[in-house]
Amino acid sequence: MSTHPPSRQVDPRDPPEPYLSFWRERHLCTLTTPRPDGSPHVVPVGVTYDPEAGVARVLARRTSRKVAHVLAAAGEDGAGARVAVCQFEGRRWATLEGVATVRTEPALIGAAELRYEERYGRRPSPNPERVLIEIRVTRAMGKA
């Protein structure tokens, strides 16, 4: 029998302060996207989380595999791809699941760059190939 408390579900639009605080700290995260064969593709990324909007954001290069996977899984209707982002430190961990779409609007990318700078302490280098993977968060869980 495990002595660890069970992981807990978190309201993604109203997370408790320790959970939200953990997402404000500087941590490298992972993004899991589905490959065309259904297997998971996991890569390190920077993530920002905006619970008020119910969105997590990942900046990426337009030609990256993660962007290709999101676009392929989104289908012709553009409904989005099921993805997850996760971070951990010691026994603390947090996962956000949701539906990702690729956004190319300069204003959205610029706002995401500012959020990235707030969390990670540096502005991303200029990149004309930059796009935004925007995740509409549907589930949050963790132990922060």
Side-chain angles (χ1 to χ4, degrees):
M1 181 171 213
S2 175
T3 59
H4 297 288
S7 60
R8 69 171 201 228
Q9 295 290 319
V10 173
D11 181 345
R13 299 294 293 251
D14 188 23
E17 184 52 39
Y19 190 84
L20 186 55
S21 179
F22 187 43
W23 276 105
R24 289 183 183 134
E25 295 171 11
R26 188 180 193 283
H27 293 287
L28 189 60
C29 303
T30 60
L31 168 68
T32 304
T33 57
R35 289 186 179 105
D37 68 2
S39 65
H41 177 252
V42 184
V43 294
V45 294
V47 176
T48 61
Y49 173 36
D50 180 358
E52 289 180 6
V55 171
R57 296 174 179 91
V58 176
L59 295 168
R61 188 174 22 88
R62 179 183 317 272
T63 57
S64 68
R65 294 304 321 149
K66 59 186 159 282
V67 168
H69 293 153
V70 170
L71 291 171
E76 290 182 20
D77 62 1
R82 297 288 308 169
V83 303
V85 290
C86 182
Q87 66 180 20
F88 74 95
E89 179 184 58
R91 292 179 181 233
R92 297 186 309 157
W93 63 275
T95 298
L96 303 171
E97 297 178 5
V99 178
T101 54
V102 176
R103 307 296 301 260
T104 59
E105 300 93 321
L108 293 178
I109 293 168
E113 290 171 340
L114 289 174
R115 289 179 182 278
Y116 181 96
E117 183 177 17
E118 287 172 12
R119 182 171 191 199
Y120 291 99
R122 68 172 187 81
R123 181 86 181 207
S125 302
N127 183 348
E129 292 294 309
R130 181 166 292 133
V131 296
L132 171 63
I133 298 174
E134 188 175 75
I135 304 162
R136 290 183 317 278
V137 179
T138 57
R139 181 184 302 171
M141 63 194 96
K143 189 175 87 170

